[in-house]
Amino acid sequence: MTREPYPQQKSGVQTPGINWYPGHMLKAKKEFAAQLKRVDVVLELRDARIPETSINHDFELLLGQKRRLVLFNKTRLADPDVTKVWEARLHSEEHPHLFIDALTNRNLKRILPLARKLMAERWGKLRRRGINPPVLKLLIAGIPNVGKSTLINRLVHRKATETGPRPGVTKRQEWVRLERDARLLDTPGILWPKIETMEAGFRLAVTGAIKDEVVGIDRVCDFLLRTLQVQNPEVLSKCYRLDTIPVESDPQELLAQIAQRRGCLKPGGGVDGVRAATVLLRDFREGRLGQLTFDDPSG
Ligand SMILES: Nc1nc2c(ncn2[C@@H]2O[C@H](COP(=O)(O)OP(=O)(O)OP(=O)(O)O)[C@@H](O)[C@H]2O)c(=O)[nH]1
Ligand SMILES: [Mg+2]
């Protein structure tokens, strides 16, 4: 049987979209819009594992003609071959971009020079008129948990802002001194009010931008298992010492096997599905289940 690298969900979930919008996000969006006119360049963070799904289209409207550098973070967690295809596809995009990894410092040294380059023309004009350019003001924007605060800490080589492995850690905007003549504004993660499809919901949940509860931990787990079954079944069998995994295996059955292996059982002896799902998702998020990209670059 041919393996389709990007399976569509067969969960039968029919939904008009996921309506949700925590109040703090609306507030964050208003504050974000208010600061925009005060900054020179926006560093827009997206997730390298979901280069398309992590685009906040609301930003397009808000940012307008603002100078922008798009940074795809967490590249070390994405499938390197698929990243290459994404890089080729993004080549002709309007805004310059970099694939980075804040935890391994990949491409971080290139960020500030690129941001300064975006200001070169404007500042050149000021200098010709005998005026010293002002302090470079950057704003870092993106969906929750994509690594905005981690990136800032890496750029300033100290713990200037709070970070954590869950969405919604940064609650308010905060200026950080980057260099003598550069400042960076950290902002809370912002998502859009309605997630259009369950598929997008699964991708945002599995990568940590929304909490599992928004779409249901069992469904997020089901989505991850289906993706692994077709993209990297070997990692599943190796990590949980399972037999060869046929592509058509039922994810529920797989989860039951994982539960047995990891001792996720109820007092009476039945499988504890929620515990097993929690174990699987934690293993994935801590990098024990290999590198995966969920957005198909050919789609
Ligand atoms: N592997 C990997 N993990 C990362 C990277 N950047 C951030 N993380 C992890 O992702 C999680 C979220 O990081 P934060 O910096 O708090 O994310 P944020 O975008 O500021 O999140 P909010 O403030 O909630 O919007 C943390 O557990 C980080 O260690 C990266 O480049 N690679
Ligand atoms: Mg943050």
Side-chain angles (χ1 to χ4, degrees):
M1 181 179 213
T2 335
R3 291 184 191 280
E4 284 293 330
Y6 294 92
Q8 289 305 303
Q9 284 302 296
K10 295 173 192 147
S11 52
V13 178
Q14 295 295 322
T15 166
I18 305 157
N19 276 306
W20 78 305
Y21 212 44
H24 67 82
M25 228 174 254
L26 186 63
K27 184 168 161 265
K29 192 172 156 185
K30 283 185 185 154
E31 288 171 357
F32 172 82
Q35 283 293 343
L36 268 181
K37 49 185 165 307
R38 299 199 190 120
V39 301
D40 302 304
V41 178
V42 171
L43 304 181
E44 186 197 342
L45 247 71
R46 298 181 192 163
D47 190 316
R49 296 166 297 173
I50 46 169
E52 199 152 70
T53 308
S54 56
I55 299 175
N56 185 342
H57 292 280
D58 287 355
F59 285 161
E60 305 302 315
L61 293 172
L62 285 171
L63 294 180
Q65 294 305 306
K66 201 91 214 169
R67 291 171 184 82
R68 195 188 324 179
L69 175 57
V70 180
L71 303 171
F72 294 91
N73 194 33
K74 306 198 182 185
T75 301
R76 198 178 59 126
L77 301 178
D79 181 323
D81 293 333
V82 185
T83 296
K84 279 191 198 124
V85 185
W86 270 111
E87 284 192 288
R89 184 176 149 177
L90 291 162
H91 209 66
S92 55
E93 288 284 303
E94 183 189 350
H95 305 287
H97 69 267
L98 284 174
F99 277 80
I100 65 164
D101 191 275
L103 284 193
T104 58
N105 294 329
R106 175 179 160 148
N107 274 338
L108 301 198
K109 286 203 173 112
R110 295 177 63 190
I111 296 174
L112 205 52
L114 256 175
R116 289 193 195 281
K117 200 171 154 197
L118 289 175
M119 295 305 293
E121 200 185 322
R122 175 142 180 206
W123 285 356
K125 277 186 197 159
L126 287 180
R127 283 196 186 96
R128 281 193 291 280
R129 286 164 49 202
I131 304 168
N132 271 337
V135 166
L136 174 70
K137 289 193 276 317
L138 305 170
L139 180 150
I140 191 155
I143 60 173
N145 203 36
V146 69
K148 299 177 291 300
S149 304
T150 305
L151 175 62
I152 291 180
N153 290 346
R154 288 295 169 137
L155 291 174
V156 300
H157 309 291
R158 66 187 168 90
K159 191 176 175 300
T161 67
E162 202 59 46
T163 65
R166 57 193 181 281
V169 171
T170 303
K171 301 275 189 260
R172 63 186 75 84
Q173 297 181 342
E174 198 178 337
W175 280 104
V176 177
R177 186 178 186 274
L178 196 55
E179 283 185 359
R180 188 180 44 79
D181 59 350
R183 307 278 183 275
L184 221 166
L185 183 64
D186 192 12
T187 65
I190 304 178
L191 273 167
W192 43 100
K194 182 175 174 177
I195 299 166
E196 289 300 332
T197 62
M198 277 312 266
E199 185 70 23
F202 295 142
R203 292 177 193 194
L204 289 166
V206 82
T207 52
I210 57 174
K211 290 184 179 149
D212 293 326
E213 301 89 88
V214 175
V215 283
I217 189 169
D218 50 337
R219 288 173 173 179
V220 183
C221 173
D222 198 90
F223 169 75
L224 177 60
L225 281 171
R226 282 185 193 282
T227 310
L228 282 166
Q229 257 173 284
V230 291
Q231 288 197 37
N232 196 354
E234 299 78 19
V235 82
L236 268 183
S237 20
K238 205 170 153 202
C239 186
Y240 301 108
R241 290 176 287 115
L242 306 176
D243 298 333
T244 311
I245 298 164
V247 73
E248 61 278 9
S249 318
D250 177 4
Q252 287 303 314
E253 177 52 35
L254 270 178
L255 189 67
Q257 289 179 35
I258 292 168
Q260 297 282 355
R261 289 286 186 212
R262 286 295 167 97
C264 301
L265 303 171
K266 287 180 179 160
V271 162
D272 187 336
V274 174
R275 245 177 79 206
T278 307
V279 165
L280 178 86
L281 287 167
R282 193 174 56 225
D283 284 344
F284 168 67
R285 287 168 183 154
E286 290 177 2
R288 284 187 282 276
L289 296 175
Q291 297 165 301
L292 274 185
T293 302
F294 298 94
D295 283 354
D296 179 358
S298 63

